[in-house]
Amino acid sequence: MIFKFRAAPLEKPWSNIVAKYCLFVARHPWPFIIIPFIITICLSMGIILNFKIVRGVNYLYAPLNATWKSEEAVFGENWAKDDDHFYPGKDILRRQGIYLIVNAKDSGNILRENHAKDFLKILEWIGSVKLISSAGRMFTYKDVCLHFQNDCFSNTHAKLLADIYSKNHQNSMFNISFPIYRSTYATEPIDISKVLGNVSLDSNGNVESASAWMILYQLKAFGPGNGQLSKDFEDGLAEKIQKGETPSELLNIYYFHSATFDEELEKENRRLTPKFSITFTVLIIFAILSTFTIKFVSFKTEKSVSNWPIIDWVLSKPLLGVCGVLVTLCAIISSTGLLMLMDVTFVDMCTVMPFLSLTIGIDDTFLMLAAWHETDRNLPYEKRIEKSMRHAAVSISITSLTDALAFLIGSIAPLPAVMYFCYYSSAAILFIFLYCLTMFVAFLALQGKREQELRHSVTGGKTRDLDDYESAASHELLFKMGSRITVKADEENNNNNEKSSETGSENDVRMWYQKFFEDQYAPFISDSKISILSFLVYIAYLTTAFYGIQQLKIGFDLINIVQESSASRVFLEVRQNLFPEDTKIMDIAVMNSPNFTNSEERFEFLEVLSEFESTWCSEGRNSTQFWFFEMQKYLSQLGFGGDLNRTLNSERKLSQTKKTFLMSNEKFGYDVLDSKKFRLSTRLKNVENDEQFSNCAKTMRLLTQKHRNYSMTTYSPLWNIADEYDIMWPQTLQDIYISIAVMIPVALLFIPQPLCSLIIGLNIASIAFGVIGTMSFLGVSLDATSMITVAMSVGFSVDFAAHVSYAYMTESRAPKSGKSRIFSRFSHTLGTVGWPVTQASVSVLLGVSSLYLVDSYVVQTCFRTVLLVILFGTTHALVFLPLLLMNCHRIYAFFRKENSDSRNS
């Protein structure tokens, strides 16, 4: 070996155990096929009996311990706990309902007279359209509507404005001011910004045009059957809008309702599931093609000699390609069924797991098959199984262990979508490992026996000697040719290829891919110019990744769940562009109110409130909606402005005035629960990206902690994004750090060279760094989906690095004639691992290629990031890592020689 010190205390014991075990399997193959198959059937009952997909975007894509959940619950449990305590437009996300955005088909002004009339028709149609419930009952909006002022809420403000513009009275009789319009026909001021989007004003400051209406129908959710009936209304109305059954020829309608995100996840699952059959078929075809052994033979004619490929049906193993896919499928079914029997939650993200797990399983079978081809054909097939598994067992064990650990480390992330995906992936990898060492080894033994008997690998029939091809018939050339053993056994070596290098090409029994990687590829990349170019490419790779990380967007935008072609996606995009202020309102709940009749307590609370209003992300006092401020205005309008302090300082007068005010103003009456609990709202500014959301949320939460005596809670929909942003980057880095810390000891246990452990750690960091840094160039954010593929990148980087490092350190063949020992080790290593790594990479790409056809951000993110993982992982495994090992070896040999020369002198 290169160094005197050898690590890997488990390498030899484990390889010996696995070799002896596989020898036993080879002698008794059928029990190891039948028993795992029976186990698969039994465990599949978990899928049949207990299959249930858990959905809910706020559950799946939000941190389990997210602060916003408890903050939002304060408002939901106190102000949206029933259907009776209701005020239109308040607590929108906490109640069941359907949003509609209406714009003109010609993208023009929706306040034109005919367009306004069409909008009134839509409002009337929604209120009267008859729908069929899931129970078969006919119903209308009146059966599910929430009541306001003793009547079904029917978007009165929008109806009032549309009526004015439909009669062309906006200039002659009404002056529609913006953003607040006060009308004698409305009980309170109308906030135009919540009803009309992209408003243009005339020279007098009145509304002249707008691009869209936004209306909301909030529905019953409490009481027997109300929740389901309201869901039927949402689905029924959405279906009619999709079918174009609305009474308008001038307007488009886009919708979004309470279950849109969950329905989109369900649609995504339905689009994704059929693609698995495509992946399964493609991988079987690829696995079959990859197992064929082709020999080129020469046919002489009068004028020339032509070379033709002939399939060697003795060495080819197409059935093993099929078996590799089926064994992996059994492992996926078994692992999924077992976890479902254990009631482990299954989420939509887990439907991607079979695509990735199939490719991982096929990779292991490729490696085992490559190890089989490395053994001497003269040996009995049981002995060949023992020798091949002695070599392959350590590589497969390392990759399976590290892949499973990588996903288990990924499951630390407090995001259920990531956590449960990683659980199912880890279980699948462990079952793949177990089934490969049982079912696949047994299948390999059966095929090995056929090879030993020189029988056809598919039919089991007799074959014709490939050397007698000139006398063979056409059909025999196609389907019956098989090679014979030409080289004597060498018990001391796991590979007979070194003999071919010394005895000439006539006895060269290496596989075609070994010849390519050893004789063509290795000399090419080891050339000094190519090595320097590779180093420069790697520097450019790191530089590009570093720049990309600076541009990386962090966080999951829920809009990406919705299919791009759906009406709901258009709704969300239009709302984001035309009604941005709707998401920038921050609610403040005060659950331990001060005594407002005490001037000191009142002054102290107003000072606290001013702290919230004067932060860097607050719009200020002008945007605050607070019942106390409105009550002061109310008293002034009644002519009691001069006696305001006297009224406020009197408990009896304040209580009576407050009761009267809240009865006459339902908007603020809704905000006040009792003498100790109320809510208010203010508007945010300077919050345009995730980092600003996070900083603003921290600012507001610090203020609530500072003034705990009031039991204050703040909440904005932006807090959801802030909490995800806060954990995403630290969690990703933590996963990578833990992975490196865990993988290095694993490598030390199995790979006989401590330096390789460090190299594997650096390989993990390098590939993860490249994947994260390059995501921004592909339009991928660092979110729950990409976190999964970062975990996957750890597994693949360890896989490839372990294969290459282990092969390099255990390579023991004699140097090639005329080549240095170091270069020979380098080329032999590439000959051993080059083709399995290539097969693994191609199989993963084929496995996920069908995902490209799915119109889904989550699936597309998975596809793009897996593409990056494979591209960078393969480049590291076949270029950067072998060159690093060879050059480290050269440096060590140089210093060792220097030390030896100095001792001799």
PDB file of all heavy atoms in Angstrom, residues 279-288 319-332 358 361-362 365 440:
ATOM      1  N   THR A 279     -40.898   5.580 -16.031  1.00  0.00           N
ATOM      2  CA  THR A 279     -39.567   5.410 -15.428  1.00  0.00           C
ATOM      3  C   THR A 279     -39.212   3.938 -15.279  1.00  0.00           C
ATOM      4  O   THR A 279     -38.091   3.521 -15.593  1.00  0.00           O
ATOM      5  CB  THR A 279     -39.534   6.092 -14.047  1.00  0.00           C
ATOM      6  OG1 THR A 279     -39.746   7.486 -14.220  1.00  0.00           O
ATOM      7  CG2 THR A 279     -38.203   5.874 -13.352  1.00  0.00           C
ATOM      8  N   PHE A 280     -40.174   3.155 -14.817  1.00  0.00           N
ATOM      9  CA  PHE A 280     -39.949   1.722 -14.610  1.00  0.00           C
ATOM     10  C   PHE A 280     -39.568   1.046 -15.930  1.00  0.00           C
ATOM     11  O   PHE A 280     -38.598   0.281 -16.004  1.00  0.00           O
ATOM     12  CB  PHE A 280     -41.226   1.105 -14.037  1.00  0.00           C
ATOM     13  CG  PHE A 280     -41.093  -0.343 -13.657  1.00  0.00           C
ATOM     14  CD1 PHE A 280     -40.399  -0.714 -12.522  1.00  0.00           C
ATOM     15  CD2 PHE A 280     -41.668  -1.332 -14.435  1.00  0.00           C
ATOM     16  CE1 PHE A 280     -40.275  -2.043 -12.160  1.00  0.00           C
ATOM     17  CE2 PHE A 280     -41.549  -2.663 -14.087  1.00  0.00           C
ATOM     18  CZ  PHE A 280     -40.859  -3.025 -12.949  1.00  0.00           C
ATOM     19  N   THR A 281     -40.297   1.366 -16.994  1.00  0.00           N
ATOM     20  CA  THR A 281     -40.032   0.766 -18.305  1.00  0.00           C
ATOM     21  C   THR A 281     -38.680   1.206 -18.851  1.00  0.00           C
ATOM     22  O   THR A 281     -37.898   0.382 -19.345  1.00  0.00           O
ATOM     23  CB  THR A 281     -41.145   1.159 -19.292  1.00  0.00           C
ATOM     24  OG1 THR A 281     -42.413   0.771 -18.760  1.00  0.00           O
ATOM     25  CG2 THR A 281     -40.932   0.478 -20.635  1.00  0.00           C
ATOM     26  N   VAL A 282     -38.400   2.516 -18.761  1.00  0.00           N
ATOM     27  CA  VAL A 282     -37.138   3.050 -19.283  1.00  0.00           C
ATOM     28  C   VAL A 282     -35.950   2.427 -18.554  1.00  0.00           C
ATOM     29  O   VAL A 282     -34.946   2.041 -19.184  1.00  0.00           O
ATOM     30  CB  VAL A 282     -37.112   4.592 -19.157  1.00  0.00           C
ATOM     31  CG1 VAL A 282     -35.703   5.129 -19.416  1.00  0.00           C
ATOM     32  CG2 VAL A 282     -38.091   5.221 -20.127  1.00  0.00           C
ATOM     33  N   LEU A 283     -36.056   2.301 -17.225  1.00  0.00           N
ATOM     34  CA  LEU A 283     -34.943   1.744 -16.457  1.00  0.00           C
ATOM     35  C   LEU A 283     -34.743   0.256 -16.741  1.00  0.00           C
ATOM     36  O   LEU A 283     -33.609  -0.228 -16.744  1.00  0.00           O
ATOM     37  CB  LEU A 283     -35.162   1.979 -14.962  1.00  0.00           C
ATOM     38  CG  LEU A 283     -34.958   3.422 -14.494  1.00  0.00           C
ATOM     39  CD1 LEU A 283     -35.273   3.553 -13.013  1.00  0.00           C
ATOM     40  CD2 LEU A 283     -33.534   3.887 -14.774  1.00  0.00           C
ATOM     41  N   ILE A 284     -35.822  -0.454 -16.967  1.00  0.00           N
ATOM     42  CA  ILE A 284     -35.676  -1.876 -17.322  1.00  0.00           C
ATOM     43  C   ILE A 284     -34.943  -2.006 -18.660  1.00  0.00           C
ATOM     44  O   ILE A 284     -34.018  -2.820 -18.813  1.00  0.00           O
ATOM     45  CB  ILE A 284     -37.055  -2.570 -17.390  1.00  0.00           C
ATOM     46  CG1 ILE A 284     -37.560  -2.867 -15.969  1.00  0.00           C
ATOM     47  CG2 ILE A 284     -36.986  -3.857 -18.195  1.00  0.00           C
ATOM     48  CD1 ILE A 284     -38.859  -3.626 -15.925  1.00  0.00           C
ATOM     49  N   ILE A 285     -35.361  -1.174 -19.630  1.00  0.00           N
ATOM     50  CA  ILE A 285     -34.700  -1.221 -20.943  1.00  0.00           C
ATOM     51  C   ILE A 285     -33.224  -0.861 -20.803  1.00  0.00           C
ATOM     52  O   ILE A 285     -32.343  -1.528 -21.372  1.00  0.00           O
ATOM     53  CB  ILE A 285     -35.414  -0.264 -21.925  1.00  0.00           C
ATOM     54  CG1 ILE A 285     -36.832  -0.757 -22.212  1.00  0.00           C
ATOM     55  CG2 ILE A 285     -34.618  -0.137 -23.223  1.00  0.00           C
ATOM     56  CD1 ILE A 285     -37.682   0.212 -23.011  1.00  0.00           C
ATOM     57  N   PHE A 286     -32.938   0.199 -20.031  1.00  0.00           N
ATOM     58  CA  PHE A 286     -31.550   0.614 -19.843  1.00  0.00           C
ATOM     59  C   PHE A 286     -30.744  -0.463 -19.129  1.00  0.00           C
ATOM     60  O   PHE A 286     -29.596  -0.760 -19.506  1.00  0.00           O
ATOM     61  CB  PHE A 286     -31.492   1.920 -19.052  1.00  0.00           C
ATOM     62  CG  PHE A 286     -30.098   2.343 -18.681  1.00  0.00           C
ATOM     63  CD1 PHE A 286     -29.225   2.831 -19.642  1.00  0.00           C
ATOM     64  CD2 PHE A 286     -29.650   2.251 -17.368  1.00  0.00           C
ATOM     65  CE1 PHE A 286     -27.935   3.216 -19.311  1.00  0.00           C
ATOM     66  CE2 PHE A 286     -28.373   2.637 -17.024  1.00  0.00           C
ATOM     67  CZ  PHE A 286     -27.508   3.118 -18.007  1.00  0.00           C
ATOM     68  N   ALA A 287     -31.352  -1.049 -18.093  1.00  0.00           N
ATOM     69  CA  ALA A 287     -30.651  -2.096 -17.330  1.00  0.00           C
ATOM     70  C   ALA A 287     -30.353  -3.295 -18.223  1.00  0.00           C
ATOM     71  O   ALA A 287     -29.270  -3.886 -18.148  1.00  0.00           O
ATOM     72  CB  ALA A 287     -31.485  -2.513 -16.127  1.00  0.00           C
ATOM     73  N   ILE A 288     -31.298  -3.661 -19.085  1.00  0.00           N
ATOM     74  CA  ILE A 288     -31.081  -4.793 -19.992  1.00  0.00           C
ATOM     75  C   ILE A 288     -29.951  -4.486 -20.971  1.00  0.00           C
ATOM     76  O   ILE A 288     -29.031  -5.283 -21.162  1.00  0.00           O
ATOM     77  CB  ILE A 288     -32.386  -5.122 -20.749  1.00  0.00           C
ATOM     78  CG1 ILE A 288     -33.413  -5.723 -19.780  1.00  0.00           C
ATOM     79  CG2 ILE A 288     -32.114  -6.087 -21.897  1.00  0.00           C
ATOM     80  CD1 ILE A 288     -34.788  -5.928 -20.396  1.00  0.00           C
ATOM     81  N   LEU A 319     -31.351 -10.767 -18.113  1.00  0.00           N
ATOM     82  CA  LEU A 319     -32.317 -11.093 -17.061  1.00  0.00           C
ATOM     83  C   LEU A 319     -31.938 -10.447 -15.738  1.00  0.00           C
ATOM     84  O   LEU A 319     -32.817 -10.090 -14.938  1.00  0.00           O
ATOM     85  CB  LEU A 319     -32.426 -12.612 -16.894  1.00  0.00           C
ATOM     86  CG  LEU A 319     -33.121 -13.382 -18.029  1.00  0.00           C
ATOM     87  CD1 LEU A 319     -33.203 -14.855 -17.691  1.00  0.00           C
ATOM     88  CD2 LEU A 319     -34.515 -12.809 -18.284  1.00  0.00           C
ATOM     89  N   LEU A 320     -30.624 -10.299 -15.495  1.00  0.00           N
ATOM     90  CA  LEU A 320     -30.196  -9.640 -14.265  1.00  0.00           C
ATOM     91  C   LEU A 320     -30.557  -8.162 -14.288  1.00  0.00           C
ATOM     92  O   LEU A 320     -30.788  -7.558 -13.238  1.00  0.00           O
ATOM     93  CB  LEU A 320     -28.689  -9.810 -14.059  1.00  0.00           C
ATOM     94  CG  LEU A 320     -28.239 -11.159 -13.496  1.00  0.00           C
ATOM     95  CD1 LEU A 320     -26.733 -11.166 -13.293  1.00  0.00           C
ATOM     96  CD2 LEU A 320     -28.953 -11.475 -12.184  1.00  0.00           C
ATOM     97  N   GLY A 321     -30.577  -7.545 -15.479  1.00  0.00           N
ATOM     98  CA  GLY A 321     -31.030  -6.156 -15.572  1.00  0.00           C
ATOM     99  C   GLY A 321     -32.470  -6.028 -15.127  1.00  0.00           C
ATOM    100  O   GLY A 321     -32.818  -5.126 -14.358  1.00  0.00           O
ATOM    101  N   VAL A 322     -33.318  -6.968 -15.594  1.00  0.00           N
ATOM    102  CA  VAL A 322     -34.726  -6.974 -15.175  1.00  0.00           C
ATOM    103  C   VAL A 322     -34.829  -7.257 -13.682  1.00  0.00           C
ATOM    104  O   VAL A 322     -35.578  -6.600 -12.945  1.00  0.00           O
ATOM    105  CB  VAL A 322     -35.526  -8.016 -15.982  1.00  0.00           C
ATOM    106  CG1 VAL A 322     -36.973  -8.057 -15.502  1.00  0.00           C
ATOM    107  CG2 VAL A 322     -35.464  -7.702 -17.469  1.00  0.00           C
ATOM    108  N   CYS A 323     -34.062  -8.251 -13.221  1.00  0.00           N
ATOM    109  CA  CYS A 323     -34.104  -8.607 -11.800  1.00  0.00           C
ATOM    110  C   CYS A 323     -33.672  -7.440 -10.915  1.00  0.00           C
ATOM    111  O   CYS A 323     -34.239  -7.223  -9.835  1.00  0.00           O
ATOM    112  CB  CYS A 323     -33.197  -9.808 -11.533  1.00  0.00           C
ATOM    113  SG  CYS A 323     -33.808 -11.352 -12.227  1.00  0.00           S
ATOM    114  N   GLY A 324     -32.666  -6.671 -11.371  1.00  0.00           N
ATOM    115  CA  GLY A 324     -32.210  -5.531 -10.580  1.00  0.00           C
ATOM    116  C   GLY A 324     -33.318  -4.522 -10.350  1.00  0.00           C
ATOM    117  O   GLY A 324     -33.490  -4.001  -9.241  1.00  0.00           O
ATOM    118  N   VAL A 325     -34.111  -4.268 -11.397  1.00  0.00           N
ATOM    119  CA  VAL A 325     -35.222  -3.323 -11.269  1.00  0.00           C
ATOM    120  C   VAL A 325     -36.322  -3.907 -10.387  1.00  0.00           C
ATOM    121  O   VAL A 325     -36.882  -3.223  -9.522  1.00  0.00           O
ATOM    122  CB  VAL A 325     -35.783  -2.939 -12.656  1.00  0.00           C
ATOM    123  CG1 VAL A 325     -36.969  -1.991 -12.517  1.00  0.00           C
ATOM    124  CG2 VAL A 325     -34.698  -2.295 -13.512  1.00  0.00           C
ATOM    125  N   LEU A 326     -36.638  -5.192 -10.587  1.00  0.00           N
ATOM    126  CA  LEU A 326     -37.700  -5.823  -9.800  1.00  0.00           C
ATOM    127  C   LEU A 326     -37.321  -5.936  -8.325  1.00  0.00           C
ATOM    128  O   LEU A 326     -38.171  -5.746  -7.436  1.00  0.00           O
ATOM    129  CB  LEU A 326     -38.013  -7.205 -10.376  1.00  0.00           C
ATOM    130  CG  LEU A 326     -38.648  -7.219 -11.778  1.00  0.00           C
ATOM    131  CD1 LEU A 326     -38.851  -8.646 -12.258  1.00  0.00           C
ATOM    132  CD2 LEU A 326     -39.975  -6.470 -11.769  1.00  0.00           C
ATOM    133  N   VAL A 327     -36.058  -6.260  -8.048  1.00  0.00           N
ATOM    134  CA  VAL A 327     -35.586  -6.336  -6.656  1.00  0.00           C
ATOM    135  C   VAL A 327     -35.727  -4.972  -5.984  1.00  0.00           C
ATOM    136  O   VAL A 327     -36.187  -4.876  -4.841  1.00  0.00           O
ATOM    137  CB  VAL A 327     -34.121  -6.820  -6.614  1.00  0.00           C
ATOM    138  CG1 VAL A 327     -33.508  -6.564  -5.235  1.00  0.00           C
ATOM    139  CG2 VAL A 327     -34.041  -8.304  -6.940  1.00  0.00           C
ATOM    140  N   THR A 328     -35.351  -3.923  -6.694  1.00  0.00           N
ATOM    141  CA  THR A 328     -35.482  -2.573  -6.135  1.00  0.00           C
ATOM    142  C   THR A 328     -36.939  -2.212  -5.915  1.00  0.00           C
ATOM    143  O   THR A 328     -37.298  -1.599  -4.897  1.00  0.00           O
ATOM    144  CB  THR A 328     -34.829  -1.546  -7.083  1.00  0.00           C
ATOM    145  OG1 THR A 328     -33.482  -1.937  -7.334  1.00  0.00           O
ATOM    146  CG2 THR A 328     -34.840  -0.161  -6.472  1.00  0.00           C
ATOM    147  N   LEU A 329     -37.802  -2.600  -6.857  1.00  0.00           N
ATOM    148  CA  LEU A 329     -39.239  -2.327  -6.706  1.00  0.00           C
ATOM    149  C   LEU A 329     -39.786  -3.047  -5.479  1.00  0.00           C
ATOM    150  O   LEU A 329     -40.578  -2.469  -4.712  1.00  0.00           O
ATOM    151  CB  LEU A 329     -39.982  -2.769  -7.965  1.00  0.00           C
ATOM    152  CG  LEU A 329     -41.484  -2.485  -8.003  1.00  0.00           C
ATOM    153  CD1 LEU A 329     -41.746  -0.984  -7.933  1.00  0.00           C
ATOM    154  CD2 LEU A 329     -42.116  -3.058  -9.266  1.00  0.00           C
ATOM    155  N   CYS A 330     -39.380  -4.291  -5.277  1.00  0.00           N
ATOM    156  CA  CYS A 330     -39.804  -5.031  -4.071  1.00  0.00           C
ATOM    157  C   CYS A 330     -39.337  -4.316  -2.805  1.00  0.00           C
ATOM    158  O   CYS A 330     -40.080  -4.245  -1.807  1.00  0.00           O
ATOM    159  CB  CYS A 330     -39.246  -6.449  -4.105  1.00  0.00           C
ATOM    160  SG  CYS A 330     -40.034  -7.539  -5.302  1.00  0.00           S
ATOM    161  N   ALA A 331     -38.106  -3.783  -2.836  1.00  0.00           N
ATOM    162  CA  ALA A 331     -37.582  -3.067  -1.667  1.00  0.00           C
ATOM    163  C   ALA A 331     -38.393  -1.814  -1.398  1.00  0.00           C
ATOM    164  O   ALA A 331     -38.694  -1.489  -0.233  1.00  0.00           O
ATOM    165  CB  ALA A 331     -36.111  -2.711  -1.898  1.00  0.00           C
ATOM    166  N   ILE A 332     -38.783  -1.076  -2.434  1.00  0.00           N
ATOM    167  CA  ILE A 332     -39.586   0.142  -2.266  1.00  0.00           C
ATOM    168  C   ILE A 332     -40.947  -0.202  -1.691  1.00  0.00           C
ATOM    169  O   ILE A 332     -41.441   0.464  -0.766  1.00  0.00           O
ATOM    170  CB  ILE A 332     -39.724   0.875  -3.619  1.00  0.00           C
ATOM    171  CG1 ILE A 332     -38.367   1.414  -4.077  1.00  0.00           C
ATOM    172  CG2 ILE A 332     -40.736   2.018  -3.514  1.00  0.00           C
ATOM    173  CD1 ILE A 332     -38.364   1.930  -5.499  1.00  0.00           C
ATOM    174  N   LEU A 358     -35.391   3.829  -7.122  1.00  0.00           N
ATOM    175  CA  LEU A 358     -35.177   2.877  -8.205  1.00  0.00           C
ATOM    176  C   LEU A 358     -33.769   3.004  -8.765  1.00  0.00           C
ATOM    177  O   LEU A 358     -33.078   2.005  -9.017  1.00  0.00           O
ATOM    178  CB  LEU A 358     -36.195   3.114  -9.322  1.00  0.00           C
ATOM    179  CG  LEU A 358     -37.399   2.173  -9.412  1.00  0.00           C
ATOM    180  CD1 LEU A 358     -38.264   2.536 -10.595  1.00  0.00           C
ATOM    181  CD2 LEU A 358     -36.970   0.724  -9.501  1.00  0.00           C
ATOM    182  N   GLY A 361     -31.089   1.652  -6.335  1.00  0.00           N
ATOM    183  CA  GLY A 361     -31.032   0.197  -6.341  1.00  0.00           C
ATOM    184  C   GLY A 361     -30.345  -0.349  -7.568  1.00  0.00           C
ATOM    185  O   GLY A 361     -29.544  -1.293  -7.491  1.00  0.00           O
ATOM    186  N   ILE A 362     -30.633   0.239  -8.724  1.00  0.00           N
ATOM    187  CA  ILE A 362     -30.005  -0.223  -9.959  1.00  0.00           C
ATOM    188  C   ILE A 362     -28.500   0.045  -9.914  1.00  0.00           C
ATOM    189  O   ILE A 362     -27.697  -0.753 -10.413  1.00  0.00           O
ATOM    190  CB  ILE A 362     -30.666   0.463 -11.170  1.00  0.00           C
ATOM    191  CG1 ILE A 362     -32.103  -0.033 -11.291  1.00  0.00           C
ATOM    192  CG2 ILE A 362     -29.906   0.179 -12.450  1.00  0.00           C
ATOM    193  CD1 ILE A 362     -32.912   0.683 -12.329  1.00  0.00           C
ATOM    194  N   THR A 365     -26.859  -2.809  -8.200  1.00  0.00           N
ATOM    195  CA  THR A 365     -26.799  -4.017  -9.026  1.00  0.00           C
ATOM    196  C   THR A 365     -25.732  -3.882 -10.115  1.00  0.00           C
ATOM    197  O   THR A 365     -25.051  -4.861 -10.448  1.00  0.00           O
ATOM    198  CB  THR A 365     -28.172  -4.313  -9.665  1.00  0.00           C
ATOM    199  OG1 THR A 365     -28.557  -3.219 -10.512  1.00  0.00           O
ATOM    200  CG2 THR A 365     -29.223  -4.523  -8.595  1.00  0.00           C
ATOM    201  N   PHE A 440     -30.888 -10.464  -5.172  1.00  0.00           N
ATOM    202  CA  PHE A 440     -30.056 -10.244  -6.357  1.00  0.00           C
ATOM    203  C   PHE A 440     -28.848 -11.174  -6.374  1.00  0.00           C
ATOM    204  O   PHE A 440     -28.466 -11.676  -7.431  1.00  0.00           O
ATOM    205  CB  PHE A 440     -29.599  -8.788  -6.436  1.00  0.00           C
ATOM    206  CG  PHE A 440     -28.940  -8.455  -7.739  1.00  0.00           C
ATOM    207  CD1 PHE A 440     -29.704  -8.227  -8.866  1.00  0.00           C
ATOM    208  CD2 PHE A 440     -27.557  -8.400  -7.851  1.00  0.00           C
ATOM    209  CE1 PHE A 440     -29.112  -7.944 -10.100  1.00  0.00           C
ATOM    210  CE2 PHE A 440     -26.942  -8.119  -9.068  1.00  0.00           C
ATOM    211  CZ  PHE A 440     -27.733  -7.890 -10.198  1.00  0.00           C
TER     212      PHE A 440
END
